[in-house]
Each structure stands twice: as structure tokens, then as C-alpha cells.
């Protein structure tokens, strides 16, 4: 019987891992299946663009794996039975069980709607297509008529990108960016100053050190009791991972992210690899690596190569992984390319404006291309993606 590699989650990490395993093994000896709850590949890093009503191109997963030997199954994974080596899917017609010999768990993350009361009931998130579309189709129209403001909560890169995009596309919209700490905490002083300048030129009201205690139907309540009126709230202040890993008994951290070794293999199950946002990896300084394509894509490469090496008996090449830059779009015409040290802390060097916006667009396209097509072992990645020792 052929060894069955089952990849659950067809985002940036899962799609790349599935194709990269398939291209390194003999397909008569190894079957590779990719399961995802939608038929399309979602460019998650563009969801703030979708939320402003911009049309994004779509690609089906089936089309993306054509010719690679990977089989796509569309269905939602509702349970993982590690003892039996099976996942249980809910598909449109029925429940279905798929067995595996090796599992790659790549279910990504969603908005954290639990920590702060009211988020689940009163806020939009940009963590999935449904919320991004719902905001674009419902809230934008209502806000235009009512003249009420939209509060974007979260002063990290996603919140910054969302606020700038909204303000640029809808100059009459009142946009407020609410950050629980300093705006852009991972940026250098100069980088932050640029972000503030752009926000000011776009008339985005910025509230820093404003921690939200509750989201209500009328806006936000801050920890100091201040009420911030809003017609709509977009919650970008935290992401959480699916509970499936924890429920299946995999060893996870306090946030439910799976603990893995340096080949992305679960520390509690040798048949399971976890990649992307769902995995917790620490940098050399002991800090968690951020949830990002910049982290998930190298994880997929590392896991796929480890699985292929195991199945073929080849020696596993050593991967190294380091960050180079954080790139933020500030609308379509401006941006910030913040160079960082290998451990992701900001250097003083950055560049801005149209070149940074172009660089961002290039990297977003590259991330998608990387997952969809560039599944081969490219020398550049060996050199640049340096895993922390
Ligand atoms: C608005 C926004 C902007 C961002 N911008 C950037 C950026 O500029 N740079 C950057 O590096 N990162 C950015 N990120 C973060 C980045 O998108 C994530 O870190 C990345 O998508 C993680 O990849 P992944 O493969 O782990 O998860 P995902 O890409 O989320 O893929 C997970 C897949 O699993 C599927 N899935 C989930 N649950 C189930 C289930 N139960 N059954 C079946 N399928 C399931 C999902 O539908 C999805 O297809 C951004 C995120 C957002 C929301």
C-alpha cells in the first residue's frame, strides 16, 4: 500500500507542503492528499483589500495542484483521531473519514473572538473571506450613509494596512485606528514616524495605548472607561488557532499552537507535522516567531523536505531561517519596508513611498506564486531562510 501523506489546510503553508512533498517522492509509492474547507486558494494577505471592495483574482486549489500528483478534497476537518490515523471531514453531502500515515496539520488561524467580550457579536474580522466580504457589502454602505466612524482595532501591521486601505479608498469615511500599545510595536522609531505621517495625511484618527475592554453595538469601551462611538468595528487585535490540535491531544502551548521540533514534527506524535500559524516555533532569543507567510512558508519547506527525506531515505539538508524585512502597505501608493535583524527586531534602516508599495505587491505575489507554483528547492531559499538554532 502506498504511504499516504494527508495535508489538512490549503493555505500558504499547506498547499506548498503538499506540492513539495509530491515532487520529491515516487507517486506510485506515496499518495498526497490536500484537504481544505474551500475550493479556492485564499490570498489571506489581501483580505484588507477585499474588505474595501477591491476585486481579487481567485484560483481553485484543484487547478493549482494540476500535474503535481496531489489530490484535492474539499471539506471541513471536524475531528482528528490520531490513534486511528484518521481525520473526519464534513463535506457538502456527508461526513467522510480519511486515513493517513503522515499528517501535515496546516489549518492556519482565525480572529481571536473570545478574549475580549463583544468581539464575536459586534465586530468584523479580516481573518477570513466571509468577514472581509461581509464588511465590504454591508458595513461600507451603511457607514457612507450614516457618516459614523469605523474603528480598526489593532496597531500591528494588519491593523495599519487595513486603516490605510480604507481611508485611501473611501476618503469620506471616518477611520479610527485603535492600538493597545504604541502604533506598530515591531517597527523602528523612524518607521513608526512614517506610518503616523501617512495616517495623518489620510485623516485617520490614531489612538495609541488605548486598550479595548469590550466591543458593543455602538462601538468600543476602553479599559479606562472611555466609550468610542463607532458604526462598525474591525477586529485585528489578535489571532487564535483552531482547537483541533488541542482536542486531538497533540502537545500545544497555552494558545493552542502545536509544539514542534526543528523539522516541524509534533513533539508528541511522530506521524504529525504542524506548519504555518498553527505551529509554535521559538527564535534564538526564545520569542515566538510571528504568525506570517514569512514564517509559514519556510516551515512548509522544512516539513516537506523532512517528510520526503524520511520516505525516500535521503539525507535531510539543513535549513536555516531568518527574517529580512517587514513590509507594510499603506494604501496602494505608499508603504514601509522595515529591515529587521534575523530575529525580527527592527533595524534603523527602512524605505517608504511608492518603492515600498511596489515591493510589498511583489512579495505578496511571490508568496502566492511560491505556494502555487514555485515548489522546487531554489538556492535562494537555502541561503535566506535560516532557521534559528
Ligand atoms: C488581512 C491580513 C493581512 C496579512 N498580511 C500579511 C503580510 O503582509 N505578510 C505576512 O507574512 N503575513 C500576513 N498575514 C498573515 C498571513 O496571512 C498568515 O500568517 C498566513 O496566511 C498563514 O498561513 P497558513 O497556511 O498557516 O494559514 P492560512 O493561509 O490561513 O491557511 C489555512 C487554510 O486552512 C483552511 N482551514 C481552516 N480550518 C479548516 C478546517 N477545519 N478544515 C479544512 N480546512 C480548514 C483555511 O480555509 C485555509 O485555507 C496577514 C493576515 C491577514 C488576515
Amino acid at each position: 500500500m502506498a504511504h499516504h501523506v494527508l495535508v489538512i489546510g490549503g493555505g500558504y503553508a499547506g498547499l506548498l507542503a503538499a506540492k513539495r512533498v509530491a515532487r520529491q517522492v515516487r507517486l506510485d509509492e506515496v499518495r498526497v492528499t490536500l484537504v481544505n474547507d474551500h475550493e479556492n486558494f485564499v490570498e489571506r494577505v489581501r483580505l484588507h483589500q477585499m474588505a474595501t471592495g477591491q476585486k481579487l483574482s481567485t484560483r481553485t486549489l484543484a487547478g493549482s495542484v494540476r500535474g503535481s500528483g496531489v489530490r484535492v478534497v474539499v471539506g471541513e476537518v471536524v475531528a482528528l483521531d490520531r490513534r486511528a490515523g484518521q481525520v473526519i471531514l464534513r463535506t457538502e453531502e456527508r461526513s467522510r473519514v480519511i486515513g493517513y500515515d503522515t499528517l501535515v496539520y496546516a489549518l492556519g488561524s482565525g480572529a481571536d473572538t473570545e478574549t475580549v467580550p463583544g468581539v464575536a457579536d459586534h465586530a468584523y474580522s479580516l481573518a477570513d473571506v466571509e468577514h472581509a466580504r461581509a464588511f465590504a457589502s454591508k458595513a461600507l454602505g451603511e457607514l457612507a450613509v450614516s457618516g459614523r466612524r469605523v474603528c480598526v482595532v489593532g496597531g500591528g501591521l494588519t491593523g495599519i494596512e487595513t486603516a490605510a486601505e480604507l481611508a485611501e479608498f473611501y476618503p469620506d469615511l471616518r477611520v479610527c485606528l485603535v492600538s493597545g500599545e504604541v502604533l506598530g510595536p515591531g517597527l523602528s522609531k523612524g518607521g513608526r514616524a512614517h506610518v503616523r505621517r501617512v495616517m495623518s495625511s489620510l485623516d485617520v484618527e490614531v489612538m495609541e495605548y488605548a486598550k479595548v475592554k469590550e466591543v458593543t453595538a455602538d462601538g468600543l469601551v476602553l479599559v479606562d472607561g472611555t466609550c468610542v462611538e463607532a458604526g462598525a468595528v474591525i477586529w485585528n487585535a489578535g489571532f487564535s488557532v483552531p482547537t483541533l490540535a488541542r482536542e486531538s491531544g497533540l502537545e500545544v502551548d497555552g494558545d493552542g499552537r502545536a509544539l514542534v521540533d526543528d523539522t516541524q514534527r509534533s513533539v508528541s506524535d511522530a506521524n504529525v507535522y504542524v506548519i504555518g500559524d498553527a505551529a509554535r516555533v521559538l527564535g534564538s532569543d526564545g520569542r515566538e516567531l510571528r504568525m506570517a507567510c514569512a514564517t509559514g512558508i519556510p516551515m512548509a519547506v522544512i516539513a516537506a523536505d523532512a517528510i520526503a527525506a524520511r520516505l525516500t531515505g535521503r539525507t535531510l539538508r539543513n535549513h536555516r531561517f531568518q527574517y529580512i524585512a517587514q513590509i507594510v502597505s499603506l494604501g496602494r501608493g505608499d508603504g514601509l519596508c522595515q529591515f529587521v535583524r534575523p530575529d525580527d527586531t527592527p533595524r534603523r534602516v527602512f524605505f517608504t513611498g511608492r518603492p515600498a508599495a511596489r515591493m510589498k505587491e511583489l512579495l505578496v505575489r511571490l508568496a502566492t506564486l511560491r505556494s502555487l507554483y514555485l515548489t522546487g528547492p531554489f538556492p535562494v531559499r537555502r541561503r535566506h531562510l535560516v532557521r534559528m538554532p
Side-chain angles (χ1 to χ4, degrees):
M1 270 277 274
H3 185 101
H4 188 203
V5 178
L6 177 64
V7 181
I8 54 173
Y12 291 95
L15 176 58
L16 171 57
K19 292 180 75 173
R20 194 166 166 114
V21 169
R23 60 167 287 141
Q24 296 184 70
V25 294
R26 285 186 48 163
L27 293 170
D28 53 342
E29 292 173 356
V30 179
R31 285 186 299 136
V32 184
T33 306
L34 176 65
V35 171
N36 196 57
D37 54 3
H38 292 79
E39 64 176 334
N40 290 331
F41 174 75
V42 172
E43 275 192 276
R44 214 173 152 207
V45 302
R46 289 195 193 273
L47 289 182
H48 59 296
Q49 291 177 246
M50 187 180 270
T52 59
Q54 296 171 56
K55 282 249 167 319
L56 303 182
S57 60
T58 51
R59 297 171 185 84
T60 62
L61 284 168
S64 308
V65 301
R66 195 163 295 133
S68 67
V70 175
R71 190 173 65 110
V72 170
V73 175
V74 178
E76 184 192 359
V77 180
V78 290
L80 164 57
D81 181 348
R82 292 188 300 114
R83 196 173 294 201
Q86 294 177 336
V87 300
I88 292 102
L89 298 190
R90 189 163 43 216
T91 65
E92 268 191 1
E93 314 86 44
R94 61 196 163 101
S95 281
R96 188 172 160 186
V97 175
I98 304 188
Y100 65 82
D101 299 298
T102 300
L103 180 76
V104 181
Y105 182 108
L107 296 183
S109 63
D112 175 4
T113 56
E114 299 297 319
T115 310
V116 173
V119 173
D121 294 331
H122 302 297
Y124 293 89
S125 89
L126 297 186
D128 56 60
V129 172
E130 288 71 26
H131 272 84
R133 281 211 188 111
F135 180 81
S137 63
K138 185 165 173 286
L140 274 175
E142 285 172 12
L143 291 166
V145 174
S146 68
R148 295 175 78 191
R149 60 149 91 89
V150 54
C151 279
V152 178
V153 183
L157 304 189
T158 311
I160 290 172
E161 290 194 328
T162 306
E165 201 82 21
L166 277 170
E168 185 182 277
F169 271 77
Y170 298 93
D172 295 334
L173 197 66
R174 290 169 59 204
V175 181
C176 175
L177 177 55
V178 181
S179 179
E181 48 184 324
V182 70
L183 188 62
L187 302 174
S188 65
K189 217 170 142 196
R192 274 202 290 273
H194 180 71
V195 172
R196 286 203 190 96
R197 265 195 304 278
V198 174
M199 291 299 162
S200 156
S201 70
L202 290 170
D203 280 335
V204 174
E205 184 188 344
V206 175
M207 299 176 73
E208 294 182 88
Y209 302 101
K211 271 207 179 317
V212 176
K213 188 170 75 178
E214 191 182 349
V215 182
T216 66
D218 296 319
L220 308 172
V221 182
L222 305 184
V223 285
D224 65 4
T226 310
C227 293
V228 183
E229 190 280 329
V233 172
I234 298 183
W235 192 257
N236 275 327
F239 292 95
S240 65
V241 296
T243 50
L244 215 63
R246 187 197 298 276
E247 286 159 6
S248 73
L250 280 179
E251 202 167 321
V252 295
D253 68 4
D255 297 326
R257 298 174 85 192
L259 308 188
V260 292
D261 70 11
D262 58 7
T263 62
Q264 299 299 135
R265 201 176 189 176
S266 158
V267 296
S268 51
D269 188 334
N271 296 324
V272 178
Y273 291 75
V274 188
I275 57 178
D277 288 356
R280 187 191 73 150
V281 172
L282 300 182
S284 55
D285 57 358
R287 283 197 306 173
E288 266 182 43
L289 302 189
R290 67 184 142 108
M291 288 184 182
C293 294
T295 318
I297 287 175
M299 286 180 183
V301 170
I302 289 164
D305 289 5
I307 293 167
R310 239 176 107 189
L311 294 177
T312 57
R314 276 186 234 128
T315 314
L316 180 61
R317 271 179 289 182
N318 220 1
H319 287 282
R320 297 189 307 158
F321 166 35
Q322 73 180 17
Y323 293 106
I324 299 167
Q326 298 198 11
I327 312 189
V328 199
S329 63
L330 299 167
R332 294 295 89 202
D334 203 336
L336 168 71
C337 178
Q338 170 72 68
F339 288 98
V340 297
R341 299 187 188 86
D343 67 357
D344 213 22
T345 53
R347 296 180 191 276
R348 280 164 63 184
V349 189
F350 61 88
F351 64 90
T352 61
R354 202 162 283 280
R358 289 215 175 111
M359 175 70 99
K360 171 77 188 196
E361 179 57 29
L362 187 75
L363 284 178
V364 166
R365 287 185 192 188
L366 201 65
T368 303
L369 279 176
R370 180 85 187 129
S371 293
L372 292 180
Y373 307 114
L374 306 179
T375 51
F378 291 93
V380 63
R381 300 216 76 87
R382 305 265 168 221
R383 201 154 33 86
H384 288 312
L385 297 177
V386 182
R387 195 185 172 87
M388 303 302 174

